[in-house]
Amino acid sequence: MKGYTRPLFLVLIVLFLDQAIKFWIKLNMTLGQEFKIIGNRALIHFTENNGMAFGMEFGGESGKLALSVFRILAVLGIGYGLIYMIKRKYHRGLILCVALIFAGAMGNIIDSTFYGVIFSESTWYEKAHLFPAGGGYSTIFHGKVVDMFYFPLLQGTFPSWFPLWSNEEFIFFRPVFNLADSAISVGVIIILIFQKRYFKEEIQESASYHSEVIEE
């Protein structure tokens, strides 16, 4: 288990926090309900989506099923890659970033796979119930992903001379997201920032390995 402890602990912590927040939101808030954290710039706003990260959609029931299956296959691939990196002793920072991405993907898979079965539907007027007597609001693989973090940092109106969106209202940052989305984004961004450091050792090890093979 040497080398697995920190990545496994990180995955479990992210999954626990992500699901704990989502369960609380589902059981204590109605759809569309919100409350302020820091004025109008940071809010908890309960919404659900049928699609990808940050509220993006992938249309229709067949599209939803296809997305759920793709997510499962993707997370299996990421999990395999994570184990491979740990065994080959890749850079610890890279391993932890991949663990973040894996945990985030797993968090949203749990929603889309099981929430439709274990929760009643959240509405604008009624909170959801866990394991309702009449069954869940949907079937397995057709659950909705719970989102709640909303940071409309800048709001205003495009000037009349602005192309395409003249005089239209704009909001930055508009997407509503969850902790799983954040884990994925943070993992990817850190890898992009430190990619030279993370992959330098692997390139050197690969060159050394090929040199040894040639000498033999």
Side-chain angles (χ1 to χ4, degrees):
M1 287 296 293
K2 187 177 180 181
Y4 288 87
T5 305
R6 289 184 180 179
L8 180 60
F9 182 72
L10 180 61
V11 168
L12 292 177
I13 286 294
V14 171
L15 278 177
F16 173 78
L17 292 176
D18 177 64
Q19 290 303 307
I21 294 170
K22 289 172 177 176
F23 266 62
W24 189 91
I25 294 291
K26 285 286 288 182
L27 298 174
N28 292 277
M29 296 180 68
T30 57
L31 197 62
Q33 184 179 353
E34 66 181 26
F35 58 87
K36 299 176 182 179
I37 302 175
I38 305 175
N40 293 318
R41 296 292 179 262
L43 302 93
I44 296 295
H45 176 91
F46 176 27
T47 186
E48 294 179 309
N49 75 81
N50 295 313
M52 298 173 282
F54 297 103
M56 292 183 284
E57 296 287 331
F58 196 71
E61 288 300 311
S62 59
K64 171 63 179 173
L65 179 59
L67 181 60
S68 294
V69 173
F70 173 77
R71 276 177 172 160
I72 292 171
L73 293 175
V75 83
L76 288 174
I78 297 170
Y80 174 81
L82 181 59
I83 293 172
Y84 178 85
M85 290 178 181
I86 294 172
K87 287 183 177 180
R88 293 290 297 268
K89 297 182 180 179
Y90 275 49
H91 193 287
R92 289 181 181 178
L94 177 61
I95 290 173
L96 291 177
C97 285
V98 174
L100 270 178
I101 296 169
F102 177 77
M106 278 292 296
N108 284 334
I109 281 177
I110 291 172
D111 295 30
S112 60
T113 303
F114 300 112
Y115 275 26
V117 177
I118 66 174
F119 283 110
S120 63
E121 187 170 9
S122 296
T123 72
W124 297 94
Y125 311 102
E126 187 176 356
K127 302 169 186 175
H129 300 283
L130 185 62
F131 300 119
Y137 64 82
S138 188
T139 57
I140 194 167
F141 299 124
H142 287 84
K144 298 176 183 178
V145 176
V146 176
D147 293 322
M148 74 294 296
F149 298 127
Y150 182 37
F151 297 97
L153 300 177
L154 295 174
Q155 299 184 52
T157 304
F158 287 107
S160 58
W161 52 262
F162 199 89
L164 299 179
W165 300 294
S166 62
N167 296 320
E168 290 187 14
E169 182 184 7
F170 72 85
I171 299 176
F172 179 87
F173 179 75
R174 184 183 292 273
V176 183
F177 57 98
N178 57 45
L179 185 63
D181 298 332
S182 301
I184 294 171
S185 299
V186 169
V188 171
I189 290 170
I190 294 177
I191 288 174
L192 291 175
I193 293 173
F194 296 103
Q195 56 181 309
K196 289 185 178 179
R197 180 186 301 177
Y198 288 166
F199 294 105
K200 182 179 179 180
E201 294 178 8
E202 318 319 323
I203 294 172
Q204 290 175 343
E205 287 182 8
S206 177
S208 176
Y209 172 78
H210 287 297
S211 175
E212 290 176 1
V213 171
I214 293 171
E215 289 178 0
E216 291 177 358

